Every structure is written in C-alpha cells, then in structure tokens.
Amino acid sequence: MTRNVAALKRLRLTDFRNFETLDLDLDARPVCLAGPNGSGKTNILEAISLLAPGRGLRGAETEEPLKRDGDRVAPAWAVFAETLSESGDEATLASGLLDGGRRQTRMDGKAASRGDLARRLPMIALLPEHDRIFAGPRSDRLKFFDRLVAASEPSHGETLGAYEKLRSRRQRLLDQGRADPVWLDALETDMAGHGVALAAGRLHALARLQAAIDTANDSAFPKADLALDGLIEAALADGAEIRAAEDLLINALAEGRGRDAAAGRTLTRGPHRSDLTGRHREKDQLASRCSTGEQKALIIRLVLAQAQSLASRGGVIPVLLLDEACAHLDEIRREGLAAALLELGAQAWLTGVEASLFSAFGDQAQHFAVAQGRISVEARPHAD
C-alpha cells in the first residue's frame, strides 16, 4: 500500500529567532538536528509548527520570534516551506509577521483556513515538557490529546475552536451579570452541539489509537490502556444518542450559570474539563505514578501509534516534531524509535545535543549540525 506522507522539501527562514537566514533542501527522510543547547535546534521546529494552525509549539506571541541583535530588532520574520506528498501533490506554505502587523499564514499565496493548513501539513509535536504529561495538569493532557486527534481529523481543530469561542462568549455574558436568559439559552445550545461533536471525535480517535497500541509488534516502548474521563464522553460511551448528550450538556450549562459567574470561569463539566488517563499495561500501574522515563516511553508510544493508525487507514502520515525525544532513552529504545520511524516512513524532525544519539538511523536520515544560528550537513554519525 502506498503511504501518503506529509513532508517538507524546502524550508526557508528569515530573521526568525537566532536565524538571520536558513535555506534547506530536503527529501522525505527523517531529519536529525544535532548541536549544543541554545544553538537553535528547537527554533527550527518552532518555525515549522507555525505553518500549522495555532501559535506554534511554544505558544509565542506574534512578535516574539523576531531576531534580536543587541538593541536591534528585525522588523519582520518569515517562514516559507515547499511541501510534497507521495501522491505528488505540491504546495507552498508561508507564515510571518510583516511590517509590524498581524501574523499572516498563506497556502499557495492565498489566505488559508485552519482546516486547509491542517489538511496540507498535519503534524504532531512532542516536547520535553511532555515527558511527565500524565503526572501534570489535566488541561495539558487534554490539549496534547486534542492535537493528536487534529492530526488525523483536521475538522477536530475547527470544532474545538468553535466550542472555545462560544464558551468565552458565554463567560463574558455571565461576568457582566445582566445576560438575557434567552440569549444564553441560544448560545448554550450552539455550545452543546459543538461540545458533543468534540467529545464524539475524541472517542472515535481514542478507539483507533488504542487499537494501534494493542497491535504494535515492537517491544521498545510500553503499551498503555487509555480512557477519557468526561461527562459527555461517558454518556456517549454508554450509548447515549447525540441529541440526548446535547440535552445533558445544555442542562448542565444552564444549571451551572450561577457557579460559573461566581468563579469567573466555566466549572461546568463540559468537554473542556475532560481528561485523558493512562495505565502502564505491563506494570498494571497508573501512568501518572510511573517514573519520568516510563512516562516518556508511554507518550512516545502514543505518538507512534497515532501515526501508525493513520498509515493503516490510508491517511496522511503527519510530520513529527520530536524535540529531545532521544534524550534519556537507552540505546535499545533509541534503536526502537529509529526503526519505528523508518518503517512508518514519516518525516520526523529530531533534535539532540550529540549526533551519536541518531546513529541508529545511519544514512536513512538527513543529518545536520546546528551551531549559533547556522546549519550545515553533518557526516553520518557513529555510536559512541
């Protein structure tokens, strides 16, 4: 089966972070970036992430990526990429801050919607702060899971965005203290429609992700048993019809108006307060109680399984941004990660302080050295 892999064949940066210019010609193989801390490796991954919907993997404000040299601040920054899929479909993507204005993102020279970007260049980012995501705040886990879902279902991000806009509007009305109940009724009805669609999308994605985890035949990374803990997700999992689930959320929102107004935030148990839970199958232990290394291995398994699930269904395999993914992995797991990525065929971008971390890829990856905002082709690395 031919796999449709999202990939960059050219990446160009202008006045982005510590890069005055960068121009890389690429193929679809994994990309390994080696260099000391502060050299700009993560900046390259951030630039790529700004070609997707949202504020990038750092969540930066629009002017934050501007290159700075002492007191001099560049007037604009730009990220440009040429993309190519194995089906031969080509496109150009560009994102940047121009003349001190708002960030603009374009595809083939035209304004692009969130859905357009997500379909053209789906991606999943795995960052060092995700190493203990199962033990961290609920909201971080949910955000990470929603990004996994959006990589396979571009409309998921649009649904989430619509739900969050409605939730913000409702909270503003409650904060004012004199909201028309009829107006709130209509807003909460719309909110429930998007909220139930959001929960249903998560459940479908979770089932596919769990199936991919269950059928994985490598032993480098542990398997997890996943679940979604949420009012609407639970109702749908128990067989509730869509309309019944919407009514459940509408009633919960109406009953929670006073509490949400007093708190200044939406405490009502809508999809925004759901949680992703995991259990280390072999150890029969909650993922949140596992060591940092085990949690990192579990989350890598999730990312690989999501990409493998897409491959098995003939979907577009996303670009994977794996920042310091090999750090703190032993040699067996580094080799397992390389083998999984090569078998998958994904264009994964990996960073690390030592080129030897990527020795398992051999010449099946593209190797670059990064130093002080400059990049050069790296010779094939060897293990220490």
Side-chain angles (χ1 to χ4, degrees):
M1 179 179 65
T2 300
R3 293 183 173 184
N4 190 3
V5 179
L8 304 182
K9 69 173 186 176
R10 186 184 185 191
L11 176 66
R12 189 169 67 202
L13 309 183
T14 304
D15 286 331
F16 187 90
R17 297 289 187 181
N18 66 331
F19 289 93
E20 182 176 354
T21 61
L22 180 146
D23 199 344
L24 284 180
D25 289 318
L26 304 153
D27 55 48
R29 291 176 297 163
V31 180
C32 301
L33 305 173
N37 292 330
S39 59
K41 304 183 301 295
T42 304
N43 294 343
I44 295 173
L45 268 57
E46 180 189 20
I48 296 170
S49 73
L50 288 168
L51 297 171
R55 292 167 55 185
L57 58 82
R58 283 184 170 127
E61 297 294 335
T62 304
E63 296 185 357
E64 196 174 324
L66 289 170
K67 189 177 190 308
R68 290 167 168 79
D69 288 318
D71 293 334
R72 178 187 175 276
V73 180
W77 60 263
V79 180
F80 172 85
E82 296 176 9
T83 69
L84 177 66
S85 68
E86 291 191 5
S87 64
D89 187 17
E90 298 186 27
T92 62
L93 296 173
S95 182
L97 172 69
L98 304 176
D99 299 325
R102 297 176 61 186
R103 173 185 160 198
Q104 299 181 31
T105 305
R106 295 185 174 275
M107 183 168 70
D108 293 331
K110 300 177 182 178
S113 69
R114 291 175 61 95
D116 292 336
L117 296 172
R119 279 181 280 273
R120 178 62 254 176
L121 192 66
M123 64 181 71
I124 298 173
L126 184 60
L127 311 177
E129 53 261 40
H130 294 145
D131 287 358
R132 288 188 57 82
I133 198 166
F134 284 109
R138 173 201 58 77
S139 59
D140 288 351
R141 279 189 300 279
L142 188 62
K143 184 182 296 185
F144 179 81
F145 182 66
D146 278 328
R147 287 175 176 168
L148 282 184
V149 179
S152 62
E153 298 293 342
S155 62
H156 184 79
E158 296 173 317
T159 302
L160 176 60
Y163 176 82
E164 289 298 338
K165 285 181 181 179
L166 290 166
R167 187 165 72 89
S168 295
R169 287 177 57 194
R170 173 182 178 271
Q171 191 61 49
R172 285 198 299 271
L173 291 175
L174 293 175
D175 292 343
Q176 293 170 4
R178 297 188 300 274
D180 183 347
V182 176
W183 195 355
L184 278 172
D185 286 344
L187 193 152
E188 288 169 353
T189 297
D190 285 347
M191 189 174 164
H194 288 290
V196 171
L198 186 63
R202 288 173 181 163
L203 287 172
H204 289 310
L206 183 72
R208 292 192 295 265
L209 178 60
Q210 188 67 66
I213 291 172
D214 293 344
T215 56
N217 55 18
D218 65 277
S219 59
F221 298 98
K223 295 183 178 181
D225 294 313
L226 305 173
L228 280 166
D229 179 13
L231 176 69
I232 305 305
E233 287 87 351
L236 292 172
D238 287 341
E241 298 290 338
I242 294 296
R243 183 61 213 175
E246 291 177 353
D247 289 341
L248 176 63
L249 184 51
I250 290 170
N251 292 335
L253 289 167
E255 293 172 2
R257 289 175 186 174
R259 180 180 63 249
D260 294 348
R265 56 196 178 100
T266 315
L267 296 178
T268 300
R269 287 190 64 201
H272 60 286
R273 294 188 64 82
S274 299
D275 192 9
L276 174 71
T277 62
R279 194 170 194 88
H280 191 299
R281 183 179 300 175
E282 183 180 0
K283 291 193 167 187
D284 191 23
Q285 183 178 33
L286 287 173
S288 59
R289 295 181 180 176
C290 291
S291 69
T292 299
E294 289 171 331
Q295 289 189 50
K296 180 168 189 169
L298 286 168
I299 206 72
I300 290 175
R301 168 66 75 194
L302 263 63
V303 170
L304 292 175
Q306 179 68 331
Q308 288 159 351
S309 173
L310 282 166
S312 68
R313 294 185 286 120
V316 179
I317 300 173
V319 170
L320 304 180
L321 306 178
L322 308 180
D323 193 18
E324 300 291 347
C326 291
H328 310 302
L329 294 183
D330 58 29
E331 184 177 357
I332 292 176
R333 281 185 172 159
R334 290 200 302 271
E335 291 176 352
L337 178 60
L341 292 173
L342 292 172
E343 180 182 0
L344 182 64
Q347 190 186 65
W349 291 68
L350 302 98
T351 67
V353 294
E354 298 287 345
S356 60
L357 293 170
F358 312 123
S359 60
F361 287 96
D363 58 8
Q364 297 183 79
Q366 303 164 90
H367 299 275
F368 297 95
V370 185
Q372 299 179 340
R374 296 183 182 278
I375 192 166
S376 58
V377 176
E378 179 79 86
R380 175 178 168 175
H382 297 281
D384 292 335

